[in-house]
Amino acid sequence: LPASLTAASFGKLSRAGRRSAADADVCRALLEMVAQSCCVLARAYAAQLGCRQRVFFAGGFVDENPLARATIANSLKSLGGRAHFLRHSDFLGALGATAHALDSSRRRRVSQ
């Protein structure tokens, strides 16, 4: 399959009732779909907060995933932004999840 196809191009596969693409192509399309969705959401939130140029990404998904990083960088560039990837992003993603869990726990105790 051509590399220029986006994940949206694979919508026809489910309608056909059979899969004509290789497993590797489907996996790549799914990864690109997730990365492109992340970019659209990140760009929308950044614009809402007044951050028009730069968006920072962290977490295990982008830590050692050059394909995801390239897809995110290219997608965000096409949306008029620039992607930045933090070092140790898997660790930072874990810290963010922990902070969210602690904040949620604190809110439950305060509301009781």
Side-chain angles (χ1 to χ4, degrees):
L1 294 174
S4 61
L5 289 178
T6 63
S9 302
F10 284 87
K12 295 177 185 174
L13 287 176
S14 65
R15 285 189 231 122
R18 63 187 188 291
R19 206 160 92 189
S20 59
D23 287 346
D25 290 333
V26 173
C27 289
R28 183 179 179 128
L30 289 172
L31 183 133
E32 288 184 4
M33 180 182 67
V34 169
Q36 289 170 357
S37 296
C38 288
C39 285
V40 169
L41 291 172
R43 182 68 173 109
Y45 286 129
Q48 191 176 42
L49 296 172
C51 303
R52 305 237 181 255
Q53 296 293 321
R54 297 179 291 178
V55 178
F56 291 84
F57 290 87
F61 180 65
V62 297
D63 186 42
E64 291 186 24
N65 192 338
L67 182 57
R69 285 180 181 225
T71 302
I72 288 170
N74 290 333
S75 295
L76 204 56
K77 185 177 180 182
S78 72
L79 294 171
R82 184 169 177 210
H84 296 272
F85 302 97
L86 303 173
R87 287 187 199 152
H88 310 294
S89 61
D90 57 341
F91 177 70
L92 294 172
L95 281 178
T98 302
H100 177 72
L102 291 173
D103 187 48
S104 295
S105 176
R106 182 183 56 80
R107 284 184 196 170
R108 279 193 298 268
R109 280 184 297 197
V110 169
S111 66
Q112 293 176 353

